[in-house]
Structures are given as C-alpha cells and as structure tokens.
Amino acid sequence: MLKALSRRACLFGVLALALSGAAFADQPPASGLGQSWPNASDVSRNPNFHAYVFTLGGIQFVQINDANGNVLGAVGTSGGQFITLPVGRFSQLVTTPQQGPAVPTTATPTTTPTTVYQDPATTVTATPLSDGTMMLKAACNPETCATHAQ
C-alpha cells in the first residue's frame, strides 16, 4: 500500500510541475485543457462525445466532452499510472485503476459502457447513470499494463 501511495504522490508531483509549466519551459504549453472547444483534434471513437488529448512533459492528458462541448472529466496518465483531474461536470465520478470515484453514488448504469477514447496504452469509457450523471472510466490497456507492472 505504501508503494502505491508513493507512486501516486510521485505522479501527482510530476503532474503539478507539468501543469505549472516551470519544469518544462522548453516545450510549448498545452492549451485548451478544461475548455469546451479546445484547440486540439477531436479523437473520440463515438460521435456522441468529444475526446481531446494533450501531452506535456511525457504526461498525456485526456479530456472528454459531451456532444454539446460540456467538459465531463479528464485524466492524466503516464507509464500505466493515472490521476483524475479536477475539471468537468462529472470529475467526481471519474475512475482509474488507482482511484475510485471521489463521491460515492447509488445511481445505476442505464446502458453498457461506451468506448469514447482508445490508444495503444489507454481506454476511456463513458456510462450514463440513472440520476442523469455520467461515469467515466480510464483504464490501462492489458498489453501496456503488463509492461508497467504495478
């Protein structure tokens, strides 16, 4: 457990430095993270959502918006580790391999999860819930997770 907490603290520290821009001054800052219509390509696998990817300092940030541009949630990921970012309407309902939702819910899924974003390392799914909220789940793809043993 201490090892998992140490990894999470390390990733959080790296994310904080990356977001501050101080540690990576030679790289252009990512723009648009947290915005409804960021200056980034929509790489969603589902027409009902928009997915935007930003990379800064070796950390990948994936933001999911609904079809109307409302930010639903976002995660940061690097080397099989994830952290939920505090942006979006449903940021408290984002789950990762390292974190459950920040706020428990008694709502139930109304449909099966829909893949919104996928690359060789990461998959993000969205699941509408009975109370009108949306749960986002970020996961490390099995081949990648196996090479980054937790």
Side-chain angles (χ1 to χ4, degrees), residues 98-115:
Q98 289 82 25
Q99 297 173 270
V103 176
T105 182
T106 58
T108 57
T110 59
T111 64
T112 58
T114 299
T115 299

Side-chain angles (χ1 to χ4, degrees), residues 74-126:
V75 296
T77 182
S78 179
Q81 298 293 309
F82 291 82
I83 189 166
T84 301
L85 301 177
V87 298
R89 297 173 79 174
F90 305 122
S91 62
Q92 291 103 352
L93 296 176
V94 175
T95 65
T96 72
Q98 289 82 25
Q99 297 173 270
V103 176
T105 182
T106 58
T108 57
T110 59
T111 64
T112 58
T114 299
T115 299
V116 177
Y117 172 76
Q118 188 168 34
D119 68 23
T122 304
T123 298
V124 179
T125 60

Side-chain angles (χ1 to χ4, degrees), residues 32 34-38 50 52 63 65 68-71:
Q35 295 178 359
S36 293
W37 304 107
H50 300 284
Y52 303 100
Q63 174 181 309
N65 293 8
N68 296 319
N70 297 304
V71 181

